[in-house]
Coordinates of all heavy atoms in Angstrom, one line a residue:
M1 N 4.3 13.3 19.8 CA 3.6 12.6 18.8 C 3.7 11.1 19.0 O 4.7 10.5 19.2 CB 4.3 12.9 17.4 CG 3.7 12.2 16.3 SD 4.3 12.8 14.7 CE 4.9 11.4 14.1
T2 N 2.6 10.5 19.1 CA 2.5 9.1 19.3 C 2.7 8.2 17.9 O 2.2 8.9 16.9 CB 1.2 8.6 19.9 OG1 0.2 8.8 19.0 CG2 1.0 9.2 21.2
K3 N 3.2 7.2 17.9 CA 3.4 6.4 16.7 C 2.5 5.2 16.7 O 3.0 4.1 16.7 CB 4.9 5.9 16.5 CG 5.8 7.1 16.2 CD 7.2 6.6 16.0 CE 8.1 7.7 15.7 NZ 9.4 7.3 15.2
S4 N 1.1 5.5 16.7 CA 0.3 4.3 16.7 C -0.3 4.2 15.3 O -0.5 5.2 14.6 CB -0.9 4.7 17.7 OG -1.5 5.8 17.3
G5 N -0.6 3.0 14.9 CA -1.1 2.7 13.6 C -2.6 2.9 13.6 O -3.3 3.1 14.6
G6 N -3.2 2.8 12.4 CA -4.6 2.9 12.3 C -5.0 2.5 10.8 O -4.2 2.4 10.0
T7 N -6.2 2.2 10.7 CA -6.7 2.0 9.4 C -7.9 3.0 9.1 O -8.7 3.3 9.9 CB -7.5 0.6 9.3 OG1 -6.4 -0.4 9.8 CG2 -8.0 0.2 7.9
F8 N -7.8 3.6 7.9 CA -8.8 4.6 7.5 C -9.3 4.3 6.1 O -8.6 3.8 5.3 CB -8.1 6.0 7.4 CG -7.5 6.4 8.7 CD1 -6.2 6.1 9.0 CD2 -8.2 7.0 9.7 CE1 -5.5 6.5 10.2 CE2 -7.7 7.4 10.9 CZ -6.2 7.1 11.1
F9 N -10.6 4.5 5.9 CA -11.3 4.2 4.6 C -11.8 5.5 4.0 O -12.3 6.3 4.8 CB -12.4 3.2 4.8 CG -12.1 1.8 5.3 CD1 -11.9 1.5 6.7 CD2 -11.6 0.8 4.3 CE1 -11.5 0.3 7.1 CE2 -11.2 -0.4 4.7 CZ -11.2 -0.7 6.1
L10 N -11.6 5.6 2.7 CA -12.0 6.8 2.0 C -13.0 6.3 1.0 O -12.6 5.6 0.1 CB -10.8 7.5 1.3 CG -11.1 8.7 0.5 CD1 -11.8 9.8 1.3 CD2 -9.9 9.1 -0.2
D11 N -14.3 6.6 1.1 CA -15.3 6.2 0.2 C -16.1 7.5 -0.2 O -16.6 8.3 0.7 CB -16.2 5.3 0.9 CG -17.3 4.7 0.0 OD1 -17.2 4.7 -1.3 OD2 -18.4 4.4 0.5
A12 N -16.1 7.7 -1.5 CA -16.8 8.9 -2.1 C -17.1 8.6 -3.5 O -16.5 7.8 -4.1 CB -16.0 10.1 -2.0
P13 N -18.1 9.3 -4.0 CA -18.5 9.1 -5.5 C -17.3 9.5 -6.4 O -16.4 10.3 -6.1 CB -19.6 10.0 -5.7 CG -20.2 10.3 -4.4 CD -19.0 10.2 -3.4
G14 N -17.3 9.0 -7.7 CA -16.3 9.3 -8.6 C -16.3 10.9 -8.9 O -17.4 11.5 -8.9
G15 N -15.1 11.3 -9.1 CA -15.0 12.8 -9.5 C -14.9 13.7 -8.2 O -15.0 14.9 -8.5
T16 N -14.9 13.1 -7.0 CA -14.9 14.0 -5.8 C -13.4 14.3 -5.3 O -13.3 15.0 -4.3 CB -15.7 13.4 -4.7 OG1 -15.2 12.1 -4.4 CG2 -17.2 13.3 -5.1
G17 N -12.4 13.8 -6.0 CA -11.0 14.0 -5.6 C -10.3 13.0 -4.8 O -9.3 13.3 -4.1
K18 N -10.7 11.8 -4.8 CA -10.1 10.7 -4.0 C -8.6 10.5 -4.5 O -7.8 10.4 -3.7 CB -10.9 9.4 -4.1 CG -12.2 9.4 -3.5 CD -12.9 8.1 -3.6 CE -13.1 7.6 -5.0 NZ -14.1 8.4 -5.8
T19 N -8.4 10.4 -5.8 CA -7.1 10.3 -6.3 C -6.2 11.5 -6.0 O -5.0 11.3 -5.6 CB -7.1 10.0 -7.8 OG1 -8.0 8.9 -8.1 CG2 -5.8 9.8 -8.4
F20 N -6.7 12.6 -6.0 CA -6.0 13.9 -5.7 C -5.5 13.8 -4.2 O -4.4 14.1 -3.9 CB -6.9 15.1 -5.9 CG -6.2 16.3 -5.5 CD1 -5.3 17.0 -6.2 CD2 -6.5 16.9 -4.2 CE1 -4.6 18.1 -5.8 CE2 -5.9 18.1 -3.8 CZ -5.0 18.7 -4.6
L21 N -6.5 13.4 -3.3 CA -6.1 13.3 -1.9 C -5.1 12.3 -1.6 O -4.1 12.4 -0.9 CB -7.4 13.0 -1.1 CG -7.2 12.8 0.4 CD1 -6.6 14.2 1.0 CD2 -8.5 12.5 1.1
I22 N -5.2 11.1 -2.3 CA -4.2 10.1 -2.2 C -2.8 10.5 -2.6 O -1.8 10.3 -2.0 CB -4.6 8.8 -2.9 CG1 -5.9 8.1 -2.2 CG2 -3.5 7.8 -3.0 CD1 -6.5 7.0 -3.0
R23 N -2.8 11.2 -3.8 CA -1.5 11.7 -4.4 C -0.9 12.8 -3.5 O 0.3 12.9 -3.2 CB -1.7 12.3 -5.7 CG -2.0 11.3 -6.7 CD -2.5 11.9 -8.1 NE -1.3 12.5 -8.7 CZ -0.6 12.0 -9.7 NH1 -0.8 10.8 -10.2 NH2 0.5 12.6 -10.1
L24 N -1.8 13.5 -2.7 CA -1.4 14.6 -1.8 C -0.7 13.9 -0.6 O 0.2 14.3 0.0 CB -2.5 15.5 -1.5 CG -2.2 16.6 -0.4 CD1 -1.2 17.6 -1.0 CD2 -3.5 17.3 -0.1
I25 N -1.4 12.9 0.0 CA -0.9 12.1 1.1 C 0.4 11.6 0.8 O 1.4 11.6 1.6 CB -1.9 11.1 1.6 CG1 -3.1 11.7 2.2 CG2 -1.3 10.1 2.6 CD1 -4.3 10.8 2.4
L26 N 0.6 10.9 -0.3 CA 1.9 10.3 -0.8 C 2.9 11.3 -0.9 O 4.1 11.1 -0.4 CB 1.7 9.5 -2.0 CG 0.8 8.3 -2.0 CD1 0.6 7.7 -3.4 CD2 1.4 7.1 -1.2
A27 N 2.7 12.5 -1.5 CA 3.6 13.5 -1.7 C 4.1 14.1 -0.4 O 5.3 14.3 -0.1 CB 3.1 14.5 -2.6
T28 N 3.2 14.2 0.6 CA 3.4 14.9 1.9 C 4.3 13.9 2.7 O 5.4 14.3 3.2 CB 2.2 15.1 2.7 OG1 1.4 16.0 2.0 CG2 2.5 15.7 4.0
V29 N 4.1 12.7 2.7 CA 4.9 11.7 3.4 C 6.3 11.6 2.8 O 7.3 11.6 3.5 CB 4.3 10.3 3.5 CG1 5.2 9.3 4.1 CG2 3.0 10.4 4.3
R30 N 6.3 11.5 1.5 CA 7.6 11.4 0.8 C 8.4 12.7 0.9 O 9.7 12.5 0.8 CB 7.4 11.0 -0.7 CG 6.9 9.6 -0.8 CD 6.3 9.2 -2.1 NE 5.9 7.8 -2.2 CZ 5.3 7.3 -3.3 NH1 5.0 8.0 -4.3 NH2 4.9 6.1 -3.2
S31 N 7.8 13.8 1.0 CA 8.6 15.1 1.1 C 9.4 15.2 2.3 O 10.3 15.9 2.5 CB 7.6 16.3 1.0 OG 6.9 16.5 2.1
K32 N 9.0 14.4 3.4 CA 9.7 14.3 4.6 C 10.7 13.2 4.6 O 11.2 12.9 5.7 CB 8.7 14.1 5.8 CG 7.7 15.2 5.9 CD 6.7 14.9 7.0 CE 5.7 16.1 7.1 NZ 4.6 15.8 8.0
N33 N 11.0 12.6 3.5 CA 12.0 11.5 3.3 C 11.5 10.3 4.0 O 12.4 9.5 4.4 CB 13.4 12.0 3.7 CG 14.0 12.9 2.7 OD1 13.8 12.9 1.5 ND2 14.7 13.9 3.3
D34 N 10.2 10.1 4.2 CA 9.7 8.9 4.7 C 9.2 8.0 3.6 O 9.0 8.5 2.5 CB 8.6 9.2 5.7 CG 9.0 9.8 7.0 OD1 10.1 9.4 7.5 OD2 8.4 10.7 7.5
I35 N 8.9 6.8 3.9 CA 8.5 5.8 2.8 C 6.9 5.8 2.9 O 6.3 5.6 3.9 CB 9.1 4.4 3.1 CG1 10.6 4.5 3.0 CG2 8.5 3.4 2.2 CD1 11.3 3.3 3.5
A36 N 6.4 5.9 1.7 CA 4.9 5.8 1.6 C 4.7 4.7 0.3 O 5.2 5.0 -0.7 CB 4.3 7.1 1.2
L37 N 4.0 3.7 0.6 CA 3.8 2.7 -0.4 C 2.4 3.0 -1.0 O 1.4 3.2 -0.4 CB 3.8 1.3 0.1 CG 5.1 0.9 0.7 CD1 4.9 -0.6 1.3 CD2 6.2 0.9 -0.3
A38 N 2.3 2.9 -2.4 CA 1.2 3.1 -3.1 C 0.8 1.8 -3.8 O 1.5 1.4 -4.7 CB 1.3 4.2 -4.2
L39 N -0.3 1.2 -3.3 CA -0.8 -0.1 -3.8 C -2.2 0.1 -4.4 O -2.9 0.9 -4.0 CB -0.8 -1.1 -2.8 CG 0.5 -1.3 -1.9 CD1 0.3 -2.4 -0.8 CD2 1.7 -1.7 -2.9
A40 N -2.5 -0.8 -5.3 CA -3.8 -0.8 -5.9 C -4.2 -2.2 -6.2 O -3.3 -3.2 -6.5 CB -3.8 0.0 -7.2
S41 N -5.4 -2.5 -6.3 CA -5.9 -3.9 -6.6 C -5.8 -4.2 -8.1 O -5.7 -5.4 -8.4 CB -7.3 -4.0 -6.1 OG -7.5 -3.9 -4.7
S42 N -5.9 -3.2 -8.9 CA -5.7 -3.4 -10.3 C -4.6 -2.6 -11.0 O -4.2 -1.6 -10.4 CB -7.0 -3.0 -11.0 OG -7.1 -1.7 -11.2
G43 N -4.1 -3.2 -12.1 CA -3.0 -2.5 -12.8 C -3.3 -1.1 -13.2 O -2.5 -0.1 -13.2
I44 N -4.6 -1.0 -13.7 CA -5.0 0.4 -14.2 C -5.1 1.3 -13.0 O -4.6 2.5 -13.2 CB -6.3 0.3 -14.9 CG1 -6.2 -0.5 -16.2 CG2 -7.0 1.7 -15.2 CD1 -7.5 -0.8 -16.9
A45 N -5.5 1.0 -11.9 CA -5.5 1.9 -10.7 C -4.2 2.2 -10.3 O -3.8 3.4 -9.9 CB -6.3 1.3 -9.6
A46 N -3.2 1.2 -10.3 CA -1.8 1.4 -9.9 C -1.1 2.5 -10.8 O -0.2 3.2 -10.3 CB -1.1 0.2 -10.0
T47 N -1.5 2.6 -12.1 CA -0.9 3.6 -13.0 C -1.2 5.0 -12.6 O -0.5 5.9 -13.0 CB -1.2 3.3 -14.4 OG1 -2.6 3.4 -14.6 CG2 -0.7 2.0 -14.9
L48 N -2.3 5.2 -11.9 CA -2.8 6.5 -11.5 C -2.1 7.1 -10.3 O -2.2 8.3 -10.0 CB -4.2 6.5 -11.2 CG -5.2 6.2 -12.4 CD1 -6.6 6.1 -11.9 CD2 -5.0 7.1 -13.6
L49 N -1.3 6.2 -9.6 CA -0.6 6.6 -8.4 C 0.9 6.7 -8.6 O 1.5 5.8 -9.3 CB -0.9 5.5 -7.2 CG -2.3 5.3 -6.8 CD1 -2.4 4.2 -5.8 CD2 -3.0 6.7 -6.3
P50 N 1.6 7.7 -8.1 CA 2.9 7.9 -8.3 C 3.7 6.7 -7.6 O 3.5 6.5 -6.4 CB 3.3 9.3 -7.7 CG 2.1 9.6 -6.9 CD 1.0 8.9 -7.4
G51 N 4.5 6.0 -8.3 CA 5.1 4.9 -7.8 C 4.2 3.7 -7.4 O 4.6 2.7 -6.7
G52 N 3.0 3.7 -8.0 CA 2.1 2.7 -7.7 C 2.4 1.3 -8.3 O 3.0 1.2 -9.3
R53 N 2.0 0.3 -7.4 CA 2.1 -1.1 -7.9 C 0.9 -1.9 -7.5 O 0.2 -1.4 -6.6 CB 3.4 -1.8 -7.2 CG 4.6 -1.2 -7.6 CD 5.9 -1.8 -6.8 NE 5.9 -3.3 -7.3 CZ 6.7 -4.1 -6.7 NH1 7.5 -3.7 -5.6 NH2 6.7 -5.4 -7.0
T54 N 0.7 -3.0 -8.2 CA -0.5 -3.9 -7.8 C -0.1 -4.4 -6.3 O 1.0 -4.8 -6.1 CB -0.7 -4.9 -8.7 OG1 0.4 -5.8 -8.9 CG2 -1.2 -4.4 -10.1
A55 N -1.1 -4.7 -5.5 CA -0.8 -5.3 -4.2 C -0.3 -6.7 -4.4 O 0.6 -7.1 -3.6 CB -2.2 -5.2 -3.4
H56 N -0.8 -7.4 -5.4 CA -0.3 -8.8 -5.6 C 1.2 -8.8 -5.9 O 1.9 -9.7 -5.4 CB -1.1 -9.6 -6.6 CG -2.4 -10.1 -6.1 ND1 -3.6 -9.3 -6.1 CD2 -2.7 -11.3 -5.6 CE1 -4.5 -10.1 -5.6 NE2 -4.0 -11.2 -5.3
S57 N 1.6 -7.8 -6.7 CA 3.1 -7.8 -7.1 C 3.9 -7.3 -5.8 O 4.9 -7.9 -5.6 CB 3.2 -6.8 -8.3 OG 4.5 -6.5 -8.4
A58 N 3.4 -6.2 -5.3 CA 4.3 -5.7 -4.2 C 4.4 -6.6 -2.9 O 5.5 -6.7 -2.3 CB 3.8 -4.4 -3.8
L59 N 3.3 -7.2 -2.5 CA 3.1 -8.0 -1.3 C 3.3 -9.4 -1.5 O 3.2 -10.2 -0.5 CB 1.8 -7.6 -0.6 CG 1.6 -6.2 -0.3 CD1 0.3 -6.0 0.5 CD2 2.8 -5.6 0.7
K60 N 3.5 -9.8 -2.7 CA 3.5 -11.2 -3.1 C 2.4 -12.1 -2.6 O 2.6 -13.1 -1.9 CB 4.9 -11.8 -2.6 CG 6.1 -11.1 -3.2 CD 7.4 -11.8 -3.0 CE 8.6 -11.0 -3.5 NZ 8.5 -10.2 -4.5
L61 N 1.2 -11.5 -2.8 CA 0.0 -12.2 -2.3 C -0.3 -13.4 -3.1 O -0.1 -13.3 -4.4 CB -1.2 -11.3 -2.4 CG -1.1 -10.0 -1.6 CD1 -2.3 -9.1 -1.9 CD2 -1.0 -10.3 -0.1
P62 N -0.7 -14.5 -2.6 CA -1.0 -15.7 -3.3 C -2.3 -15.6 -4.1 O -3.2 -14.8 -3.7 CB -1.3 -16.8 -2.2 CG -1.6 -16.1 -1.0 CD -0.9 -14.7 -1.1
W63 N -2.3 -16.0 -5.4 CA -3.5 -15.9 -6.2 C -4.6 -16.8 -5.8 O -5.8 -16.4 -6.0 CB -3.1 -16.2 -7.7 CG -2.3 -15.1 -8.3 CD1 -0.9 -15.1 -8.6 CD2 -2.8 -13.8 -8.7 NE1 -0.6 -13.9 -9.1 CE2 -1.7 -13.0 -9.2 CE3 -4.0 -13.2 -8.7 CZ2 -1.7 -11.8 -9.7 CZ3 -4.1 -11.8 -9.1 CH2 -3.0 -11.2 -9.7
N64 N -4.3 -17.9 -5.4 CA -5.3 -18.9 -4.9 C -5.6 -18.8 -3.4 O -5.6 -19.7 -2.8 CB -4.9 -20.3 -5.3 CG -3.5 -20.6 -4.8 OD1 -2.8 -19.8 -4.3 ND2 -3.1 -21.9 -4.8
I65 N -5.9 -17.6 -3.0 CA -6.1 -17.3 -1.6 C -7.2 -18.1 -1.0 O -7.3 -18.5 0.2 CB -6.2 -15.8 -1.3 CG1 -6.0 -15.5 0.1 CG2 -7.6 -15.4 -1.8 CD1 -5.8 -14.0 0.4
Q66 N -8.2 -18.5 -1.8 CA -9.5 -19.2 -1.3 C -9.2 -20.7 -1.1 O -10.0 -21.4 -0.4 CB -10.6 -18.9 -2.1 CG -11.1 -17.5 -2.2 CD -12.0 -17.1 -3.1 OE1 -12.2 -17.9 -4.1 NE2 -12.8 -16.0 -3.0
T67 N -8.1 -21.2 -1.7 CA -7.9 -22.7 -1.6 C -6.8 -23.0 -0.7 O -6.4 -24.2 -0.5 CB -7.6 -23.2 -3.0 OG1 -6.4 -22.5 -3.5 CG2 -8.8 -23.0 -4.1
I68 N -6.2 -21.9 -0.1 CA -5.1 -22.2 0.9 C -5.6 -22.1 2.3 O -6.4 -21.2 2.6 CB -3.9 -21.2 0.7 CG1 -3.4 -21.3 -0.8 CG2 -2.8 -21.4 1.7 CD1 -2.4 -20.3 -1.2
N69 N -5.3 -23.0 3.1 CA -5.8 -23.1 4.5 C -5.2 -21.8 5.3 O -5.9 -21.2 6.1 CB -5.4 -24.3 5.3 CG -6.1 -25.5 4.7 OD1 -7.3 -25.3 4.3 ND2 -5.6 -26.7 4.9
T70 N -3.9 -21.5 5.2 CA -3.3 -20.4 5.8 C -2.5 -19.6 4.8 O -1.3 -19.6 4.6 CB -2.2 -21.0 6.9 OG1 -2.9 -22.0 7.6 CG2 -1.9 -19.9 7.8
P71 N -3.3 -18.6 4.1 CA -2.6 -17.8 3.1 C -1.6 -16.8 3.8 O -2.0 -16.1 4.7 CB -3.7 -17.1 2.4 CG -4.9 -17.2 3.3 CD -4.7 -18.3 4.2
T72 N -0.4 -16.7 3.3 CA 0.5 -15.7 3.7 C 1.3 -15.1 2.7 O 1.4 -15.6 1.6 CB 1.5 -16.4 4.6 OG1 2.2 -17.5 3.9 CG2 1.0 -17.0 6.0
C73 N 1.8 -13.9 2.9 CA 2.7 -13.2 1.9 C 4.1 -13.9 2.0 O 4.5 -14.3 3.0 CB 2.8 -11.7 2.2 SG 1.3 -10.9 2.1
N74 N 4.7 -14.1 0.9 CA 6.0 -14.6 0.8 C 7.1 -13.6 0.9 O 7.9 -13.4 0.0 CB 6.1 -15.5 -0.5 CG 7.4 -16.3 -0.4 OD1 7.9 -16.7 0.6 ND2 7.7 -16.8 -1.6
I75 N 7.1 -12.8 2.0 CA 8.2 -11.8 2.2 C 8.9 -12.0 3.5 O 8.2 -12.1 4.6 CB 7.5 -10.4 2.2 CG1 6.8 -10.1 0.9 CG2 8.5 -9.3 2.5 CD1 6.0 -8.8 0.9
S76 N 10.2 -12.2 3.6 CA 10.9 -12.4 4.8 C 11.2 -11.1 5.4 O 11.3 -10.0 4.8 CB 12.1 -13.1 4.5 OG 13.0 -12.3 3.9
K77 N 11.4 -11.0 6.8 CA 11.7 -9.8 7.5 C 13.1 -9.1 7.0 O 13.2 -8.0 7.0 CB 11.8 -10.0 8.9 CG 10.6 -10.4 9.5 CD 10.7 -10.6 11.1 CE 9.5 -10.9 11.8 NZ 9.6 -11.2 13.2
T78 N 14.0 -9.9 6.5 CA 15.2 -9.5 6.1 C 15.5 -9.1 4.6 O 16.4 -8.6 4.3 CB 16.4 -10.5 6.5 OG1 16.0 -11.7 5.8 CG2 16.5 -10.7 8.0
S79 N 14.4 -9.4 3.9 CA 14.3 -9.1 2.4 C 14.2 -7.6 2.3 O 13.8 -6.8 3.1 CB 13.3 -9.8 1.7 OG 12.0 -9.2 2.0
G80 N 14.5 -7.1 1.0 CA 14.4 -5.6 0.8 C 12.9 -5.1 1.1 O 12.8 -4.1 1.6
M81 N 12.0 -5.9 0.5 CA 10.6 -5.5 0.8 C 10.2 -5.6 2.2 O 9.4 -4.7 2.7 CB 9.7 -6.3 -0.1 CG 8.3 -5.8 -0.1 SD 8.1 -4.0 -0.7 CE 6.5 -3.9 -0.9
G82 N 10.7 -6.5 2.9 CA 10.4 -6.7 4.4 C 10.9 -5.5 5.1 O 10.2 -5.0 6.1
K83 N 12.1 -5.0 4.8 CA 12.7 -3.8 5.5 C 11.8 -2.6 5.1 O 11.6 -1.7 6.0 CB 14.1 -3.6 5.1 CG 15.0 -4.7 5.7 CD 16.4 -4.6 5.2 CE 17.3 -5.8 5.9 NZ 18.6 -5.7 5.5
I84 N 11.4 -2.5 3.9 CA 10.6 -1.3 3.5 C 9.3 -1.3 4.2 O 8.9 -0.3 4.7 CB 10.4 -1.3 1.9 CG1 11.7 -1.0 1.2 CG2 9.2 -0.4 1.6 CD1 11.6 -1.1 -0.3
L85 N 8.7 -2.4 4.4 CA 7.4 -2.5 5.1 C 7.5 -2.3 6.5 O 6.6 -1.6 7.2 CB 6.8 -4.0 5.0 CG 6.2 -4.3 3.6 CD1 5.9 -5.8 3.5 CD2 5.0 -3.5 3.3
Q86 N 8.7 -2.5 7.2 CA 8.9 -2.2 8.6 C 9.1 -0.7 8.8 O 8.7 -0.1 9.8 CB 10.2 -2.9 9.0 CG 9.9 -4.5 9.2 CD 11.2 -5.1 9.5 OE1 12.1 -4.7 10.2 NE2 11.3 -6.3 9.1
K87 N 9.7 0.0 7.7 CA 10.0 1.4 7.8 C 9.0 2.4 7.3 O 9.0 3.5 7.6 CB 11.3 1.7 7.1 CG 12.6 1.0 7.7 CD 13.8 1.4 7.0 CE 15.0 0.7 7.7 NZ 16.3 1.1 7.0
C88 N 8.0 1.9 6.5 CA 7.2 2.8 5.8 C 6.2 3.4 6.8 O 5.8 2.8 7.8 CB 6.4 2.1 4.7 SG 5.1 0.9 5.3
K89 N 5.8 4.7 6.5 CA 5.0 5.5 7.3 C 3.5 5.3 7.0 O 2.6 5.4 7.8 CB 5.3 6.9 7.3 CG 6.7 7.2 7.8 CD 6.8 7.0 9.2 CE 8.3 7.3 9.7 NZ 8.4 7.0 11.1
V90 N 3.2 5.0 5.7 CA 1.8 4.8 5.3 C 1.8 3.9 4.0 O 2.7 3.9 3.3 CB 1.2 6.2 4.9 CG1 1.9 6.9 3.7 CG2 -0.2 6.1 4.7
I91 N 0.8 3.1 4.0 CA 0.5 2.2 2.9 C -0.9 2.7 2.4 O -1.9 2.6 3.2 CB 0.4 0.8 3.3 CG1 1.7 0.3 3.8 CG2 0.0 -0.1 2.1 CD1 1.8 -1.1 4.3
V92 N -1.0 3.1 1.2 CA -2.2 3.5 0.5 C -2.6 2.4 -0.4 O -1.8 2.1 -1.3 CB -2.1 4.9 -0.2 CG1 -3.4 5.2 -0.9 CG2 -1.7 6.0 0.8
W93 N -3.8 1.9 -0.2 CA -4.2 0.8 -1.0 C -5.6 1.3 -1.8 O -6.6 1.3 -1.1 CB -4.6 -0.5 -0.3 CG -4.8 -1.8 -1.1 CD1 -5.3 -1.8 -2.3 CD2 -4.5 -3.0 -0.7 NE1 -5.4 -3.1 -2.6 CE2 -4.8 -3.9 -1.7 CE3 -3.9 -3.6 0.5 CZ2 -4.7 -5.3 -1.6 CZ3 -3.7 -4.9 0.7 CH2 -4.1 -5.8 -0.5
D94 N -5.5 1.5 -3.0 CA -6.6 2.0 -3.8 C -7.4 0.8 -4.4 O -6.8 -0.1 -4.9 CB -6.1 2.9 -4.9 CG -7.2 3.6 -5.7 OD1 -8.4 3.5 -5.2 OD2 -6.9 4.2 -6.7

């Protein structure tokens, strides 16, 4: 098994099971005692995911991203969140 990363997009009309699929992916990864992060752009979407958080909260994203020349997340490699990001197997962003 290769450990290569990738980006996948899931786009479908409402009511077709996207949230079900995301919850299934999260449960499958977590059942193997691996780390799966559930992020969402809005607080309401975050509440639909088990362990879900808003991306701005979890990743410490700057709110004024358009006015900063070099926007970065304020997470150090040695912080708790930095270690989680290094070890996580999947990040789901709804």
Side-chain angles (χ1 to χ4, degrees):
M1 180 172 119
T2 63
K3 292 187 177 184
S4 61
T7 304
F8 303 93
F9 293 92
L10 176 62
D11 183 25
T16 57
K18 294 181 299 292
T19 302
F20 175 80
L21 179 61
I22 290 170
R23 292 172 68 100
L24 181 64
I25 292 169
L26 292 170
T28 300
V29 172
R30 291 172 178 167
S31 73
K32 297 176 183 176
N33 291 323
D34 289 325
I35 298 173
L37 295 180
L39 307 178
S41 296
S42 74
I44 293 175
T47 62
L48 298 175
L49 302 174
R53 294 181 61 190
T54 62
H56 279 86
S57 168
L59 301 178
K60 303 195 185 327
L61 298 176
W63 285 106
N64 53 348
I65 197 166
Q66 295 170 343
T67 61
I68 300 174
N69 290 334
T70 314
T72 58
C73 300
N74 192 17
I75 300 173
S76 70
K77 290 182 182 180
T78 57
S79 69
M81 189 57 170
K83 291 177 183 178
I84 288 173
L85 287 170
Q86 292 174 35
K87 293 180 181 181
C88 73
K89 297 294 181 184
V90 66
I91 300 173
V92 175
W93 192 328
D94 186 9

